[in-house]
């Protein structure tokens, strides 16, 4: 799909996929705008866009308000929004206008669906069918953007033969941590580092952070339900157990056995 903007918009060079000037309009492929017009919470195009004043990240109003009902930070950069996070959210009409101009059919179909819902007229069925078709196209684009985003995150996480790890304790029957969490649970690891080496690291950090002394024979590392063998490298763990739909940080659960 193509979209047109005003003369004041910035253009790139005359390369494939770049914006081009046609008369008084700037014409560009909408796929190059998708990542900027999609809410990272629902992965759909922005609806009633609202922006966090602290960091300028933008989300659908419904999505960000649901998030802030449970958490007090931006879901993209995790900046703290203080004791009253909803006070740091503002309606972003400028961003929503961009979405509506680039994808005017979405705005028209949503308006038609709302009118049909309120009026219940005979034309409602036709409008509803058009909305369903539009929603199917929307979901397809959403999935494409989501897949590309995850691929980029995973590539960035392993740049230079490094992998991002998150170490977290297993939960007990009450849903509480079996052992204390590390003060710094995030680290970058070589793909050649072994499970044994990171068990030694965990043992050292538990002693430093919480004065808990354990041997590596007491430590179990688990990734997605699989207990890791001591001689496995984290490059092997990443390839064998961490799928394309997983987070860019390799989550490693640890537990301590009593000797």
């Amino acid at each position: 799909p193509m979209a047109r903007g005003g003369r004041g918009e910035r253009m790139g060079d005359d390369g494939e996929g770049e914006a081009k000037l046609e008369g008084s309009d700037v014409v560009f492929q909408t796929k190059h705008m998708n990542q900027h017009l999609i809410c990272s919470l629902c992965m759909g195009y922005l609806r009633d866009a609202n922006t966090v004043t602290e960091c300028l990240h933008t989300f659908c109003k419904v999505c960000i308000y649901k998030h802030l009902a449970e958490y007090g930070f931006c879901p993209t950069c995790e900046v703290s929004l203080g004791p009253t996070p909803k006070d740091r959210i503002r309606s972003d009409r400028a961003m929503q206008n961009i979405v509506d101009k680039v994808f005017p059919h979405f705005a028209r179909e949503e308006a038609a669906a709302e009118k049909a819902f309120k009026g219940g007229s005979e034309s409602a069925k036709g409008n509803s069918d058009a909305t369903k078709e539009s929603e199917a196209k929307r979901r397809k684009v959403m999935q494409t953007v989501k897949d590309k985003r995850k691929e980029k995150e995973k590539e960035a996480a392993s740049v230079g033969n490094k992998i991002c790890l998150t170490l977290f304790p297993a939960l007990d029957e009450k849903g509480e941590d079996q052992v204390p969490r590390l003060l710094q649970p995030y680290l970058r690891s070589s793909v050649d580092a072994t499970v044994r080496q990171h068990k030694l690291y965990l043992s050292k950090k538990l002693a430093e952070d919480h004065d808990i002394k354990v041997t590596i024979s007491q430590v179990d590392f688990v990734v997605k339900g699989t207990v890791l063998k001591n001689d496995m490298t984290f490059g092997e763990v990443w390839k064998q157990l961490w799928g394309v739909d997983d987070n860019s940080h390799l989550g490693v659960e640890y537990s301590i056995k009593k000797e």
Side-chain angles (χ1 to χ4, degrees), residues 78-224:
E78 299 187 357
V79 64
S80 175
L81 302 182
T84 55
K86 291 182 181 179
D87 291 343
R88 306 294 180 92
I89 306 300
R90 295 289 183 272
S91 176
D92 195 334
R93 194 60 242 171
M95 177 60 79
Q96 191 60 53
N97 284 340
I98 293 173
V99 177
D100 293 345
K101 287 179 180 179
V102 175
F103 303 106
H105 51 294
F106 288 152
R108 289 196 300 267
E109 288 160 3
E110 287 176 10
E114 183 177 357
K115 181 178 180 181
F117 177 77
K118 292 180 179 179
S121 63
E122 281 297 320
S123 61
K125 185 179 183 302
N127 289 330
S128 176
D129 291 342
T131 301
K132 289 179 180 178
E133 181 181 354
S134 174
E135 192 63 27
K137 293 178 181 178
R138 186 198 301 269
R139 285 196 297 269
K140 183 178 180 180
V141 173
M142 284 166 28
Q143 189 59 48
T144 300
V145 172
K146 184 177 181 180
D147 291 344
K148 288 183 178 179
R149 180 182 178 187
K150 286 186 176 295
E151 288 175 5
K152 288 181 179 179
E153 287 178 347
K154 289 176 75 66
E155 288 174 3
S158 58
V159 167
N161 293 322
K162 297 289 184 179
I163 292 176
C164 295
L165 301 179
T166 302
L167 299 176
F168 59 94
L171 302 180
D172 60 21
E173 295 178 352
K174 296 180 180 179
E176 300 176 350
D177 294 341
Q178 290 184 1
V179 290
R181 292 176 177 263
L182 300 182
L183 298 182
Q184 293 183 336
Y186 309 106
L187 63 150
R188 287 180 66 84
S189 167
S190 165
V191 294
D192 297 322
T194 65
V195 170
R196 179 185 293 276
Q197 289 174 316
H198 279 294
K199 285 184 177 181
L200 286 170
Y201 170 83
L202 176 67
S203 175
K204 178 182 177 182
K205 298 305 292 183
L206 285 174
E208 292 177 357
D209 294 351
H210 304 290
D211 197 27
I212 297 175
K213 300 185 184 302
V214 297
T215 64
I216 64 170
S217 62
Q218 292 178 263
V219 179
D220 272 339
F221 277 177
V222 177
V223 172
K224 298 175 73 172

